[in-house]
Amino acid sequence: MNHFLTDTEMASLVEAIKLAEDHSSGEIRVHIDSTGLDNFAKKAFSIFQSLEMHNTKERNAVLFYVNFEQHYLTIIGDEGIHKKVKQSFWDTLHDEITAEFAKENYHNGLKEAILKTGFELKKYFPFEGENINELPNDLSFS
C-alpha cells in the first residue's frame, strides 16, 4: 500500500472526507481493494452495500472504490445524489482522478475528487446545526 499512499496521505484523505461532509448530510467513503479479482464492478457494489452506504436517510452516499494494482476505479453515488448531479458529473470526476493516477498523483487525485463531491453534496443536501455522521469517515480495505 505504501507505494500508492503513505500513512500521512491516508490520514489526509480522512480529513478531506470530514471537510467534504461538513454542512451536508452526504456521506463519502473510500475503499481500497488489493485483491486480484476480475469482477471489480460487482465487488464495488458489494462493498457499497456491506458498508451500508445505501442506508443513509437521503440516499446521498458516495463510494470511491480503487484497486491501484489492477488500475481500476469506480465511483458509486447512491440514488439521491445521482439524481442531482447526473452521470456526467461522475464521468468527469472519474476522468480527472484517472488523469492524476496516470501521473502517479494518487493522493491528489482522490483528495480533489472528495472535495468536489463534497461541494455537490453541500449544494444539494445542505445541513445546518448538528450534523449526524451516518457513516465512518475512515478508509476501508480488502
Side-chain angles (χ1 to χ4, degrees):
M1 176 55 56
N2 287 338
H3 175 69
F4 300 101
L5 294 171
T6 66
D7 289 344
T8 302
E9 289 172 333
M10 287 189 280
S12 171
L13 291 177
V14 172
E15 288 304 312
I17 291 169
K18 289 177 185 175
L19 180 63
E21 290 180 356
D22 193 30
H23 301 295
S24 167
S25 64
E27 297 289 338
I28 300 171
R29 297 291 308 265
V30 174
H31 182 84
I32 300 172
D33 183 12
S34 58
T35 64
L37 297 174
D38 58 354
N39 192 341
F40 295 110
K42 184 176 179 181
K43 174 85 183 269
F45 185 73
S46 173
I47 294 295
F48 187 88
Q49 292 195 323
S50 71
L51 294 174
E52 299 187 6
M53 297 186 73
H54 60 293
N55 289 334
T56 60
K57 183 178 178 183
E58 297 191 65
R59 302 292 302 263
N60 56 0
V62 178
L63 174 66
F64 292 90
Y65 174 92
V66 183
N67 187 309
F68 292 113
E69 291 91 353
Q70 301 298 320
H71 305 284
Y72 184 84
L73 164 73
T74 194
I75 307 163
I76 301 174
D78 205 356
E79 63 184 38
I81 184 63
H82 184 74
K83 286 178 184 176
K84 301 290 186 183
V85 300
K86 310 291 186 227
Q87 186 63 41
S88 60
F89 174 75
W90 307 122
D91 293 342
T92 300
L93 205 57
H94 185 277
D95 292 347
E96 291 171 356
I97 298 169
T98 55
E100 288 299 310
F101 283 9
K103 296 184 276 187
E104 298 185 2
N105 293 332
Y106 306 109
H107 172 259
N108 189 55
L110 283 171
K111 184 176 180 180
E112 290 303 313
I114 289 166
L115 295 175
K116 286 181 180 183
T117 300
F119 178 80
E120 296 300 313
L121 288 169
K122 289 172 191 174
K123 181 167 44 171
Y124 295 113
F125 300 96
F127 196 91
E128 296 298 327
E130 185 180 351
N131 189 358
I132 306 293
N133 196 16
E134 293 181 81
L135 299 171
N137 296 328
D138 58 327
L139 308 183
S140 59
F141 303 89
S142 58

